[in-house]
Amino acid sequence: MEIERIYERDIDMMLAEEFEVSPAFASWFLQKTKFSDAKAHVKKVFVSKTDSTGESDLVIIFEKDDAEKIGLLIEDKIDAILQPEQEDRYRLRAKILKEQGEFTDYEIILCSPEKYHD
């Protein structure tokens, strides 16, 4: 297979599929977050979840055995620049989703090449 270019949407869809079909991947990913000790399974997967504050590339909601829910809001970047106030909008979006009862705690994740983490 030859792929000339990979787009952020490709990464979104690949990750969404893995969260949906691979409990091992979902567990591994969750262990890389502040929820490393949580035992949880994927309850919902949203791609391009939008509201008045903008868009989250992915929103993954995990449910623990005690029914507590964890939200991961994931922004994918390949080569596009971070948008002004993008992180602030993600934080606001997460706060709103928490207030709406989608989850009780959350983490915002940037999934990108290392150049974005400087």
Side-chain angles (χ1 to χ4, degrees), residues 49-64:
K49 187 163 179 65
T50 59
D51 65 13
S52 62
T53 66
E55 174 194 27
S56 295
D57 289 339
L58 292 164
V59 176
I60 313 300
I61 299 177
F62 286 83
E63 186 173 60
K64 295 168 50 176

Side-chain angles (χ1 to χ4, degrees), residues 1-2 10 12 14 20 29 33 41 43 55 62 71 79 85-86 88 95 101 106 110 118:
M1 172 185 348
E2 291 183 36
D10 298 330
D12 296 344
M14 181 206 57
E20 284 278 355
F29 198 100
T33 71
H41 64 277
K43 187 73 173 172
E55 174 194 27
F62 286 83
D79 52 17
E85 301 172 7
Q86 189 169 20
D88 293 336
K95 181 181 176 213
Y106 61 87
L110 176 61
D118 293 334

Side-chain angles (χ1 to χ4, degrees), residues 1-8 10 78-79:
M1 172 185 348
E2 291 183 36
I3 301 173
E4 290 187 28
R5 178 157 169 33
I6 296 177
Y7 296 89
E8 287 179 11
D10 298 330
I78 295 176
D79 52 17

Side-chain angles (χ1 to χ4, degrees), residues 7 19 23 38 44 47-48 50 52 57-58 63-64 91 102 106-107 109 112-113 115:
Y7 296 89
F19 279 111
K44 295 180 186 176
V47 178
S48 298
T50 59
S52 62
D57 289 339
L58 292 164
E63 186 173 60
K64 295 168 50 176
R91 290 189 191 291
E102 287 288 337
Y106 61 87
E107 186 163 345
I109 298 164
S112 66
K115 69 181 181 182

